[in-house]
């Protein structure tokens, strides 16, 4: 069995110290095989915010896959926004904008969806998908294939279609052909788990799970408590446990647990 702690939208610059400490403590206690951080590490892409984010990542014991979010691109400094959009992210977090992790049971690939030309929207390019295919297609079915983006590929009810990452409709069939099992993202500050077969008409592709984490530590929760997901993979089963911060005086505690199973047609809720 493998476990992934999926953390998103930590937004250093808008965090509560006790929540950050509680998150570090519980994630290290869980001893996950991998920590995924799906973007928006900072609030305004400032150096001091990235230094705090770096310190946070250094306190987590597990290997990490980290992708940037729209808040990791400077908003007001126009020169930096267009000419060095991810300068601080590269300097303090990682220079690798297409991180890849592989062990004997899972392969996890990150894609940068943050762009200078839009304030909050994201996008995937054809080139990014081509490079993804080179990584994922040679792997056999032993590996669960997981793609990490900041911007979501599906939405919970009540959201405008514009919130979906740009070019998702054209590129989802290609990602399905790569054998994508799971998509992990953030951005909305709202947790949800949906199935790719509902939004996308995939002819030969498998149904994938689209899992969104809420904000782990930002004070801007949009109505939801701070949360993160612990994903446990024990094929053909997978569980997603969501831990929330307001349920216990001691910090994060288990809030919900959902189970999924894999068939020939992909993943579905049990
Ligand atoms: Fe965010
Ligand atoms: Fe975002």
């Amino acid at each position: 069995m493998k476990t992934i702690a999926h953390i998103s939208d930590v937004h250093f610059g808008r965090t509560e110290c006790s929540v950050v400490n509680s998150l570090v403590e519980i994630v290290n206690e869980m001893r996950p095989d991998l920590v995924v951080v799906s973007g928006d590490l900072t609030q305004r892409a400032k150096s001091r915010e990235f230094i705090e984010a770096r310190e946070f990542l250094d306190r987590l014991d597990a290997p990490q896959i980290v992708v940037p979010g729209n808040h990791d691109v400077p908003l007001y400094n126009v020169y930096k926004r267009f000419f060095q959009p991810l300068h601080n992210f590269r300097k303090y977090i990682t220079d690798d904008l297409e991180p890849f992790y592989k062990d004997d049971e899972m392969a996890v690939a990150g894609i940068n969806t943050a762009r200078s030309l839009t304030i909050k929207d994201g996008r995937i390019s054809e080139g990014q998908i081509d490079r993804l295919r080179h990584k994922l297609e040679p792997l056999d079915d032993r590996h669960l294939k997981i793609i990490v983006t900041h911007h979501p590929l599906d939405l919970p009810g009540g959201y405008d279609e514009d919130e979906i990452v740009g070019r998702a409709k054209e590129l989802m069939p290609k990602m399905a052909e790569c054998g994508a099992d799971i998509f992990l993202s953030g951005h909305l500050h709202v947790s949800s788990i949906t199935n790719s077969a509902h939004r996308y008409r995939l002819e030969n592709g498998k149904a994938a799970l689209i899992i969104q984490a809420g904000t782990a530590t930002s004070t801007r929760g949009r109505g939801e408590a701070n949360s993160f997901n612990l994903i446990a993979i024990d094929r053909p089963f997978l569980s997603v446990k969501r831990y929330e911060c307001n349920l216990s005086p001691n910090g994060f505690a288990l809030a919900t647990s959902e189970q999924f199973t894999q068939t020939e047609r992909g993943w579905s809720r049990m």
Side-chain angles (χ1 to χ4, degrees):
M1 187 176 83
K2 298 287 180 183
T3 57
I4 298 173
H6 176 202
I7 296 168
S8 199
D9 296 76
V10 283
H11 284 288
F12 282 93
R14 285 292 291 268
T15 55
E16 181 74 51
C17 189
S18 63
V19 177
V20 174
N21 289 339
S22 170
L23 178 66
V24 169
E25 198 175 309
I26 192 170
V27 170
N28 283 340
E29 272 170 19
M30 288 169 169
R31 301 171 64 88
D33 294 286
L34 182 70
V35 169
V36 165
V37 183
S38 52
D40 279 359
L41 282 93
T42 65
Q43 184 63 21
R44 284 287 167 247
K46 292 178 178 164
S47 296
R48 62 178 163 78
E49 297 173 347
F50 275 111
I51 289 167
E52 278 185 64
R54 179 73 264 162
E55 285 168 359
F56 163 73
L57 295 175
D58 287 346
R59 291 170 69 196
L60 297 172
D61 299 329
Q64 297 163 11
I65 287 283
V66 185
V67 296
N70 50 303
H71 278 258
D72 300 320
V73 174
L75 182 60
Y76 302 117
N77 184 327
V78 175
Y79 176 82
K80 281 198 170 167
R81 179 169 184 82
F82 289 99
F83 296 104
Q84 300 178 323
L86 288 170
H87 172 80
N88 275 345
F89 182 90
R90 285 174 180 270
K91 180 176 174 186
Y92 294 105
I93 306 300
T94 175
D95 205 23
D96 186 359
L97 298 180
E98 295 184 355
F100 187 58
Y101 169 91
K102 182 164 80 75
D103 61 24
D104 52 339
E105 291 182 43
M106 61 185 182
V108 185
I111 298 176
N112 166 29
T113 56
R115 299 289 186 268
S116 303
L117 285 171
T118 62
I119 301 292
K120 67 179 178 68
D121 297 339
R123 197 171 167 86
I124 302 177
S125 72
E126 198 94 40
Q128 285 175 310
I129 299 301
D130 288 344
R131 294 189 291 279
L132 188 73
R133 289 176 88 147
H134 279 110
K135 289 174 184 163
L136 296 184
E137 275 186 350
L139 302 174
D140 59 37
D141 284 344
R142 265 184 321 137
H143 289 95
L144 191 83
K145 294 168 183 164
I146 300 171
I147 297 173
V148 181
T149 58
H150 174 62
H151 295 84
L153 284 126
D154 199 5
L155 301 169
Y159 279 85
D160 194 287
E161 299 282 309
D162 290 354
E163 301 276 8
I164 290 185
V165 65
R167 307 203 69 211
K169 207 171 179 182
E170 301 103 282
L171 297 176
M172 178 56 104
K174 293 188 175 181
M175 291 190 270
E177 279 168 28
C178 299
D181 291 287
I182 314 279
F183 293 90
L184 300 180
S185 61
H187 184 62
L188 299 177
H189 297 198
V190 171
S191 315
S192 72
I193 306 175
T194 54
N195 190 301
S196 63
H198 296 152
R199 177 173 295 275
Y200 302 93
R201 295 276 167 256
L202 301 171
E203 284 189 11
N204 300 314
K206 298 185 291 185
L209 296 179
I210 302 178
I211 302 173
Q212 272 160 242
T215 167
T217 56
S218 169
T219 53
R220 291 171 71 219
R222 299 195 194 139
E224 250 194 34
N226 288 127
S227 69
F228 72 96
N229 292 329
L230 184 72
I231 300 166
I233 301 149
D234 191 7
R235 288 165 84 186
F237 305 109
L238 181 148
S239 71
V240 182
K241 291 190 164 89
R242 187 162 60 88
Y243 289 79
E244 275 189 5
C245 197
N246 65 352
L247 297 178
S248 156
N250 300 319
F252 285 88
L254 181 62
T256 60
S257 178
E258 294 185 76
Q259 319 295 321
F260 302 87
T261 187
Q262 188 178 25
T263 64
E264 284 171 0
R265 299 177 62 195
W267 288 91
S268 57
R269 209 175 284 268
M270 285 174 75

